[in-house]
Amino acid sequence: MSDSLRIGMVCYPTFGGSGVVATELGKALADRGHSVHFISSTQPARLDVFRENLFFHEVSMVHYPLFEHSPYVLALTGKMVEVAREQDLDLFHVHYAIPHATAAHLAREILAGQGRSIKVLTTLHGTDITLVGKDANYAPVVSFAIQQSDAVTAVSEFLRQETLAHFDCRKEIEAIPNFVDHKRFRPYARPGLRKRFAAEEEKLLIHVSNFRKVKRTDRVVDWFQLISKEVPSRLIMVGDGPELPRTEQRVKEWGLGSAVHFVGRQDMVEELYSISNLMLLPSETESFGLAALEAMACGVPVMASDAGGLPELIEHGSNGLLVSEEGQAEGIARAVHLLSHAPTAAAFSKAALAASEKYQLSEILNRYQALYRGLLDN
Ligand code: GMT
């Protein structure tokens, strides 16, 4: 086996966390000399295809009047087979089980019929297990695809346990956490930026997500309303998604108007974190919470729900706040204290930054590389 590998990286191209993890991993692997071929419906948001060793292959859909829904999984499988053959791929690393792990299994079977062998690594990210994956229509397919993968990883210990508890996977699953690029996500306040969102005496709160129901963006507004009654503050809402109109409506209902800035999707989110005092993340569940990690790397403590994998990242009362369903009022009181007491804010910010340093890109990359090599040695 040569030192440099040829990897087919399959992911969703959107701003969602799984696509971001796949893209950052792919870029870092390419920097280490591996050839990384992204296969996706459109070019992933953070992918820079002018970088050496990085390639993008678009899955083109066939539309036919008979199809009410075009079968994406078949188009993806076909593209995976084509790229594997043309680029002589060693393995597929697929991110998010539905439908990528199923497509990888099909592609591997087709390639085997053509006398080619290829390995499949599936990384589970979150709702592919905790929400949509549990749907009775999908669950047997997800279980099967997990069983068929040569290796399976989950982005937190919580997600590993959830998968073992709810799916018939008969498989070892390794928990490999997500990572953050500390060169990019670091406390750096662009001069003059903060002034555009808040007055000097006001605190700045931030939420970043893809505005899906699971993110509970209406509760972000509720938390902000309670906090801002006690501490003069403003809120930046970054992102876009199906819950945006309902969230805007909630802002109107509370009469918060100009205190909340909806800024849509932003590439330079690290600059917005760096001017913020607290991130709000009241998700119903969060297998890892990549946005929380990125905020912490910029020195911003996170007030999050005590759910999913968030307690693996956030230590309550030290580098952030974890809020249970029954503990909302207490959580708000702690947030008010943190925001209005400068030494507490400084201590939380320092601890958040220190905690984020455990999630170094280079170390996580070593773990994935070791996994790839282990698969190919067998
Ligand atoms: O599972 C999802 O909801 C999709 C996925 C995404 O693409 O946004 O998010 C998950 O994967 C991220 C990256 O590993 C994690 O940081 C998020 O916590 C996780 N989202 C949920 O569990 C809701």
Side-chain angles (χ1 to χ4, degrees):
M1 191 204 337
S2 96
D3 268 1
S4 80
L5 304 174
R6 292 172 299 268
I7 303 158
M9 197 71 90
V10 179
C11 66
Y12 283 110
T14 55
F15 274 80
S18 59
V20 169
V21 170
T23 308
E24 296 299 339
L25 186 64
K27 290 197 290 198
L29 287 162
D31 286 347
R32 286 196 180 177
H34 303 292
S35 301
V36 186
H37 293 264
F38 277 84
I39 306 170
S40 189
S41 54
T42 51
Q43 187 172 317
R46 289 193 194 175
L47 190 68
D48 161 17
V49 280
F50 299 118
R51 215 173 176 122
E52 209 174 341
N53 303 325
L54 264 191
F55 308 90
F56 169 60
H57 306 268
E58 184 169 322
V59 178
S60 40
M61 294 297 297
V62 177
H63 299 287
Y64 186 67
L66 192 65
F67 301 153
E68 195 185 341
H69 305 287
S70 294
Y72 177 68
V73 71
L74 299 189
L76 172 63
T77 304
K79 185 52 95 178
M80 288 168 78
V81 168
E82 178 193 310
V83 177
R85 266 204 320 249
E86 284 177 1
Q87 307 297 334
D88 197 18
L89 296 183
D90 296 305
L91 64 105
F92 291 125
H93 185 173
V94 303
H95 294 261
Y96 203 89
I98 305 169
H100 301 152
T102 306
H105 167 63
L106 280 174
R108 191 185 46 195
E109 291 301 300
I110 295 169
L111 288 161
Q114 298 171 355
R116 272 174 187 275
S117 104
I118 189 158
K119 299 290 180 182
V120 173
L121 165 61
T122 298
T123 292
L124 307 170
H125 278 272
T127 52
D128 45 351
I129 295 300
T130 56
L131 286 175
V132 64
K134 282 184 186 157
D135 183 283
N137 291 307
Y138 291 144
V141 190
V142 173
S143 288
F144 177 77
I146 290 173
Q147 283 163 24
Q148 295 301 316
S149 299
D150 296 298
V152 181
T153 65
V155 297
S156 62
E157 182 53 31
F158 158 80
L159 191 60
R160 191 183 89 82
Q161 299 288 354
E162 273 290 287
T163 312
L164 294 172
H166 296 282
F167 291 84
D168 171 21
C169 35
R170 287 173 263 156
K171 198 98 209 156
E172 291 264 321
I173 300 177
E174 185 176 346
I176 301 188
N178 290 331
F179 49 84
V180 62
D181 178 358
H182 286 91
K183 284 200 233 73
R184 174 174 169 197
F185 290 91
R186 65 197 164 92
Y188 160 73
R190 193 203 307 178
L193 184 63
R194 194 178 191 284
K195 268 207 304 241
R196 295 182 53 178
F197 296 101
E200 199 151 330
E201 65 283 7
E202 289 172 325
K203 300 296 172 194
L204 199 48
L205 283 71
I206 189 165
H207 170 78
V208 179
S209 78
N210 44 20
F211 284 65
R212 281 171 305 155
K213 232 181 167 108
V214 67
K215 301 289 176 181
R216 296 204 287 216
T217 47
D218 48 353
R219 190 173 288 188
V220 174
V221 179
D222 295 348
W223 281 5
F224 173 70
Q225 188 267 338
L226 291 167
I227 293 169
S228 63
K229 277 203 306 198
E230 308 296 327
V231 190
S233 37
R234 305 258 169 167
L235 172 66
I236 310 180
M237 297 289 273
V238 186
D240 187 358
E243 288 293 296
L244 181 60
R246 216 160 75 94
T247 315
E248 287 172 330
Q249 182 56 31
R250 193 67 144 229
V251 169
K252 282 199 193 110
E253 284 162 14
W254 281 123
L256 290 168
S258 59
V260 183
H261 306 274
F262 288 93
V263 297
R265 292 179 186 182
Q266 292 296 327
D267 282 338
M268 306 298 276
V269 70
E270 64 275 20
E271 295 197 355
L272 296 173
Y273 285 137
S274 290
I275 56 169
S276 301
N277 302 98
L278 184 67
M279 181 193 201
L280 303 180
L281 193 66
S283 306
E284 184 187 326
T285 178
E286 200 67 69
S287 69
F288 179 86
L290 184 62
L293 173 60
E294 292 181 341
M296 290 164 76
C298 296
V300 182
V302 181
M303 176 179 177
S305 17
D306 189 2
L310 287 165
E312 293 171 45
L313 176 65
I314 298 169
E315 196 181 324
H316 178 64
S318 143
N319 59 31
L321 299 171
L322 290 170
V323 182
S324 66
E325 278 308 300
E326 321 71 57
Q328 309 277 320
E330 194 201 327
I332 299 294
R334 297 285 301 257
V336 167
H337 174 71
L338 189 163
L339 289 167
S340 45
H341 188 244
T344 306
F348 270 70
S349 167
K350 198 168 158 211
L353 187 54
S356 77
E357 272 154 15
K358 285 188 258 160
Y359 299 86
Q360 296 290 342
L361 169 62
S362 57
E363 278 167 38
I364 303 303
L365 198 59
N366 289 345
R367 290 185 64 182
Y368 278 117
Q369 259 185 189
L371 197 55
Y372 296 161
R373 294 208 186 280
L375 282 181
L376 294 167
D377 284 345
N378 284 322

